[in-house]
Amino acid sequence: LARLELRGKSMDAHLPLQPFSTATCSLGLTDELCLMILNSKLTGLEAVITENWSKFGVHCCVDGGANSLYNMSGKSDTSLIPEYVCGDLDSVKEEVLDAYLKKGSKVQLLPDQDETDFTKALLYLLKLRQNGELKFKTVYVMNGMWGRFDHTLGNINTLFTAGSNMPIYMLSEDSLTFVLQPGTNKIRVDSGLEEGHCGLIPFGHRCESCSTVGLQWDLNNQSMEIGGLISTCNLLREVKEVTVINSNSILWTMSHNLLKYQY
């Protein structure tokens, strides 16, 4: 996941689904990948988490996300132990917290109520990385999307406010969503796990100019904003990668077939 300089503008290369594919999982990226589990129902994501757990070098449950992992993995499972449990800890059950403490998890209270638990936990992990305690370069966030809409908007806001320094991929039951920073973005779409649908959505501000290569309905130097043009229900063409050149940060979302994948 490299950042290169191209004609004075940044170029980001994204491989969002490659770590989950057996055809491409031999990337040797374990130390570079961080897994976060938010406080949401993980229905459908259980196999994705359990079968790919060892591919991540860091695991963090955000507050009630610890309940979800605990309920999913079973009380006796000692293979799925998060290194960190973070947040204001008002949602995690006491028995779950005690169980993970006994199994070696570090519990970090983050009481600031001006930020969401997701934002606080992410900033906490980024600080540990800055101090050299962690080495991850990419974050995957497991989050069921069928909860409260304000929570969903808060999570998307975190992608924009805390995700400018590295790729942060939010994975739900059927979609993978992340922010494309201004410049040229290359998105690999040949893992075999792509369902085909995708979208480009300006969030919170206008995108003055956006062009794409590799979509069924490509954009050509077009402006987008909520209340005007946005690109939803678009489709991937049969290409190895999609190119997006955007003047402002923009949300990319794509459907996946992870729940149908046979590990």
Side-chain angles (χ1 to χ4, degrees), residues 92-108:
V92 60
K93 295 179 180 178
E94 185 175 349
E95 67 168 302
V96 173
L97 204 58
D98 289 342
Y100 283 138
L101 277 170
K102 291 177 182 178
K103 294 177 181 179
S105 300
K106 179 177 181 178
V107 175
Q108 182 64 47

Side-chain angles (χ1 to χ4, degrees), residues 207-212 218-224 245 247:
C207 182
E208 297 293 341
S209 174
C210 186
S211 298
T212 64
D218 275 322
L219 298 168
N220 183 18
N221 197 31
Q222 291 169 272
S223 63
M224 292 194 294
I245 304 173
S247 61

Side-chain angles (χ1 to χ4, degrees), residues 121-194:
L122 183 56
L123 292 176
Y124 172 72
L125 293 177
L126 290 174
K127 184 177 180 179
L128 294 180
R129 177 180 177 269
Q130 185 178 12
N131 294 339
E133 298 179 48
L134 299 176
K135 300 179 180 180
F136 66 89
K137 296 181 180 179
T138 304
V139 179
Y140 283 84
V141 183
M142 297 291 175
N143 177 47
M145 294 291 282
W146 302 113
R148 281 169 42 191
F149 185 61
D150 61 329
H151 281 172
T152 298
L153 291 179
N155 292 336
I156 293 173
N157 187 60
T158 298
L159 296 182
F160 278 90
T161 58
S164 61
N165 295 322
M166 69 175 61
I168 300 176
Y169 302 123
M170 183 176 294
L171 198 69
S172 67
E173 298 90 334
D174 53 17
S175 299
L176 184 142
T177 303
F178 57 98
V179 174
L180 299 179
Q181 298 300 332
T184 300
N185 291 272
K186 301 282 187 177
I187 308 166
R188 288 284 297 274
V189 291
D190 61 345
S191 70
L193 298 172
E194 295 80 12

Side-chain angles (χ1 to χ4, degrees), residues 41-154:
K41 294 181 180 180
L42 299 176
T43 305
L45 291 172
E46 297 93 341
V48 178
I49 293 173
T50 56
E51 296 299 327
N52 292 283
W53 185 267
S54 62
K55 297 177 184 178
F56 295 87
V58 182
H59 310 82
C60 174
C61 288
V62 179
D63 202 349
N67 299 332
S68 300
L69 180 64
Y70 189 72
N71 293 335
M72 182 197 79
S73 61
K75 298 179 181 180
S76 60
D77 192 336
T78 59
S79 62
L80 305 181
I81 308 302
E83 288 81 13
Y84 300 94
V85 178
C86 303
D88 60 15
L89 307 182
D90 66 341
S91 299
V92 60
K93 295 179 180 178
E94 185 175 349
E95 67 168 302
V96 173
L97 204 58
D98 289 342
Y100 283 138
L101 277 170
K102 291 177 182 178
K103 294 177 181 179
S105 300
K106 179 177 181 178
V107 175
Q108 182 64 47
L109 174 64
L110 303 170
D112 183 5
Q113 294 302 305
D114 291 332
E115 303 284 359
T116 66
D117 281 330
F118 177 24
T119 300
K120 290 182 290 185
L122 183 56
L123 292 176
Y124 172 72
L125 293 177
L126 290 174
K127 184 177 180 179
L128 294 180
R129 177 180 177 269
Q130 185 178 12
N131 294 339
E133 298 179 48
L134 299 176
K135 300 179 180 180
F136 66 89
K137 296 181 180 179
T138 304
V139 179
Y140 283 84
V141 183
M142 297 291 175
N143 177 47
M145 294 291 282
W146 302 113
R148 281 169 42 191
F149 185 61
D150 61 329
H151 281 172
T152 298
L153 291 179

